[in-house]
Amino acid sequence: MSVLRDLFTIVLVSAGAVFFLAGTAGLLRFPDPLTRLHALTKADNLGLGLIVIGLLPQADGILAGLKLVVVWLLAQLAGAAATRLVARATGRPG
Amino acid sequence: MAEFLIAMAGVVLAVVSVGLARVLWGPADADRLMAAQLLGTGSVAAVLLLAAAVGSPAIVDAAVILTLLAAFAIAAFVSSQFDSDATADLPRDQQQ
Amino acid sequence: MLTGQASTLPETNSPIGFLLVLAIALPAGGVALSLLLGGRGAQRLAMATMPLGVAVALVVAGNIWRSGRSLTYLVGGWHPPLGIALRADGLSAVMLLTTAVVIGAVCLYARGSFGLPAGADERRAPLVFWIMLMGVWSGLNAVWLAGDLFSLYVALELLTFSAVPLVSLDGSAATLEAALRYLLFALIGSVLYLLGTALLYGGYGTLDLVLLSHVIKPEPTAFIAASLMTAGLLAKTALFPLHLWLPPAHAGAPAGGSALLSALVVKGSFILTVRLWFEAMPSLLHLGTSQLLGALGAAAVLFGSVLALRQARLKLMIAYSTIAQIGYLFFLFPLASAPAEATSMFGDDWNGIAWTGGMMQLVAHATAKAAMFMAAGLIAEALGHDRIAEFAGLGRALPVTMLAFGLGGMSLMGLPPSGGFVAKAMLLVAAMAEGQWWWAVVILVGGLLAAGYMFRVFAPALAAVDVTMRRRVVVPQSRQAVVLALAICAMLLGLMPLRPSQLLEVGRPASVTALTR
Amino acid sequence: MSDAALYGLCSAVLVGVGLYGTIVQPQPLQKILAFNIVGSGTFLLFGVIARRGAAADMGGDPVPQAMVITGLVVAFSATALAVALLLRLHDEAGRADDAPTPPATDDETSGC
Amino acid sequence: MSVGPALDAGLALLASALAVWVVLARQAFGAVVGFVAFGLVLSLAWLRLGAVDVALTEAAIGSGVTGAVLLAAVTRLHCARPVVAAARCGRRTRAISIASAGLVSAGLAALVLSPTDPAPTLAPQAAAALPELGVGNAITGILLAYRSVDTLLEKIVLLLALAGIWSLARDGAWGDRPAPPGSGRRDGTLTLLGQVLPPLGIVAGIYIVWVGADAPGGAFQGGAILAAMWILALMARLADPPVVGRIGVRLAVGIGPIVFLAIGFAGFALPGGFLSYPAGFAKPLIIVIEVALTFSIAVVLGLLVLGPSARGTQR
């Protein structure tokens, strides 16, 4: 049981890290701000999301798990807002 | 397990801090902002991983606060930087 | 110590130790309440705090003088190193008294410039001035009394945050720039001090001055910490060559504020430097360090005086003279720490005499300089400017003010019977007796230069010209009287040198005395 | 090398870099940032000392940690005051020249 | 191989690199972004050093609220573009400053590499006295009992900083509202953030204060979060900055320090004297002080970010 749980964590957390890697690569390599923004959003959504899901079995108690989910939701909100605002700002000249 | 989680925290941090190169290069302020946001998200992930590794709920609190403040910082960036550029031609008491 | 643990001292609260808390907490409470009450409330509060604060200082000083013993108060009943002790020795008592006298005078003086008529709305400058005045008082008293290096850091910051807004009170670009420069200097100064504090805690596990003096050893930790802290404190004291911020800041503040800054605020970091070297780490005060500090002081005396001679504006001249007068204070380091063989030659306690002389210089300068800045403020109010070249006939127009200014100047020059004379004479004699004649030369030259810049003011002011001064405003007699009273204080100090020096001996650092016996 | 020593070296670097910046950096705003970096280095040194003093079931000596919290609040107040002074100075200078950006006459007056 | 030290080395390296970037950056905006990132990295370093309380404070105050102040400043200074004209230091000044800064660094490095052994600590003493107070978080015990006078004076420092910033208002604007943070535009996304985040943030802030007596957290951290949420609501134009001359604002600013002082003075009636707590009542009194302080800290930090009153901000 414990082995399975740990395996689940290892797989999902590693996958999350891969998405962070992809996001960074995109941020560095993509040619213009809008595509870079796209890459960043992926990392935000999926990277953190996968890590949170991966850590859920490790959390002791419902409250601790809930906090993890809250963190993810907050990050989603911030990321979405940033995306919209940055997209609009870069869409304008100047 | 703890070792693995700490290692992953390190990996995530290392990866996103490479993205900080965008802060250096720019060229647009939006790029700098995105790089900083990526670092913010990465830090939150790293804190969560550390919390799980140490098994300390207080560290999760730190992650909650970091996320809140990351959102706050983005709002501050946006409301100060981009809008002011867009509205530079509007009369504002601070500008004259 | 073996375990690296500082043990606690068998200290208990002195019967009137609670007064030490009041000395800090009354003006601190005044700050909080002033913001709350606003408007005329701030002024009323300052006026109410003033006599209380003076009374506290008097009772504390009287008690220490009569009993000959220092006072202690353990805040919250917690013993150092975990808790914080407030301690008052003779030096603290003298400083408490000086602070109370100068602040009292500034309060009375500033009623003229920052008083609000009954029923008036709250206004910016008066409210801020009264709040900052109480902030300065609280911070200074905390510096004189706190026995813990980190509390002293907070006290220094309290001083910085109340001193900087005073500089930029008039809001002109020049004073804003002076305030910003002052703030940056002060902040770097405090952060260096804090860095040293961290090192000392890491080395000895306590920040209590007394406990630290028991465990500190002449080793790299202590030496590096002491160097960083001293560098930081010197930046805050504006010792040459870290003086750049002082003239524009002290000259830019309103007269009452300049008086506080020049007379008192710079002395806070100076006293802390003295306590650090003489009380906390006497074993580290080697010949080299003390001669270096003395040499910087000598450079400050010469440099500050020469620049004061060349100023066209009165307030700037007084500010540059502050740089010079601060220089004298640093002769304390070489002269009060001379090795026994040097001092025993004439069989007297020359270190002790130098110590008393240095502190006397501090008190005399505080009172004299506050009087001079306030006199300059009155002159500027009356004339609408402070250009020295246009002072012709001033002696006749403002005789009381000019008398006060002159009495203050006598103290700066070191003419008898002023407090400055006694102070400089004691330093001079100690320098000769200890065979360190070079300081004596600087003291004499500094006195001559001071006479030069005072003469530049008085020559036109007293010239028998027939032009009648065009006065913008009539300065009330009461404000002139306050300034004169303070200048007379500086003078009276010279007439009763023995009594304050007795008080100064209570709790005098053992290092000053031990070296001579 | 222990983890505390690593952060100790980091604090030494931060203090040095920050000090250099406060002296050399011509922009007042970046001087303020540099001061904050010296401050952070100092606080980190407290943290290293706290870490080494771990005892009595505590991950570190709480006394220096508490001092850092006090220090952080003071450093923030200082930053806020310095920035407010800088902004007002900038306004004043801009007003005096009646131009949107003040000319850089001196390293302290120029906002930009 | 242990991965901990590798992570620590990475964090230390990253923090140092960011510091160099902040100091040398030609662009003020880039430097400020770098500084906020630097604060973030430092919070992680504090977690690694086992100082969760400090990590919370660094995140909230050191990086969060300070970042807001700096960003607003950068915008108003029009520093987004590279600077040409500012006087740069001469080569000699640079050499001297490199030498002196290097000397300080080298001295510090030498000291941290040769620590006192055993390292001095007050942890056992701090722990031993905690049961008397009834609080579980030693840092709360230090800030509000053993070294409470520091905390009290530091609150006065905050008030003085606020009065100092207010003093920079123009005479005609005295007592008026400060300029709202950010630009004057309403914005849908910002409004959404301003509506959704503050309720969550307020809960988080209060939670951090509440657990502060026994777990990491406390008045500073909670107050800073509340302040950030307030500023956010102001940025989204969901509320107006307060009229700072009003008695209500002044009361909010002063209540914390005044309650703290009043409880301190009440201690004179006890054997322990000023700022001592009666046996058995220490924890409730500490919580009363913390609540009052949190409220005042939130208001003061917010007002510090807002800056001095400005005229004509209400159109």
Side-chain angles (χ1 to χ4, degrees), chain C residues 215-265:
Chain C
V215 291
I216 209 158
K217 288 187 292 269
E219 56 185 345
T221 310
F223 187 74
I224 294 178
S227 320
L228 288 170
M229 293 168 97
T230 308
L233 291 170
L234 295 187
K236 282 168 124 36
T237 315
L239 180 65
F240 179 89
L242 300 171
H243 62 279
L244 287 173
W245 59 267
L246 186 142
H250 284 194
S258 308
L260 293 177
L261 297 175
S262 229
L264 299 173
V265 172

Side-chain angles (χ1 to χ4, degrees), chain B:
Chain B
M1 193 63 198
E3 288 279 282
F4 167 75
L5 291 173
I6 292 177
M8 287 320 285
V11 167
V12 168
L13 266 181
V15 163
V16 296
S17 56
V18 172
L20 273 180
R22 268 287 166 217
V23 174
L24 276 83
W25 290 339
D29 287 342
D31 294 311
R32 298 207 163 84
L33 170 57
M34 284 191 276
Q37 206 223 324
L38 184 63
L39 183 71
T41 319
S43 305
V44 169
V47 172
L48 289 178
L49 289 165
L50 282 180
V54 184
S56 150
I59 300 185
V60 181
D61 292 350
V64 175
I65 290 185
L66 271 182
T67 330
L68 265 174
L69 289 158
F72 169 70
I74 282 166
F77 270 121
V78 162
S79 95
S80 69
Q81 197 58 33
F82 301 118
D83 281 359
S84 79
D85 278 358
T87 58
D89 49 345
L90 297 179
R92 268 177 68 202
D93 48 52
Q94 294 100 327
Q95 284 187 345
Q96 293 303 314

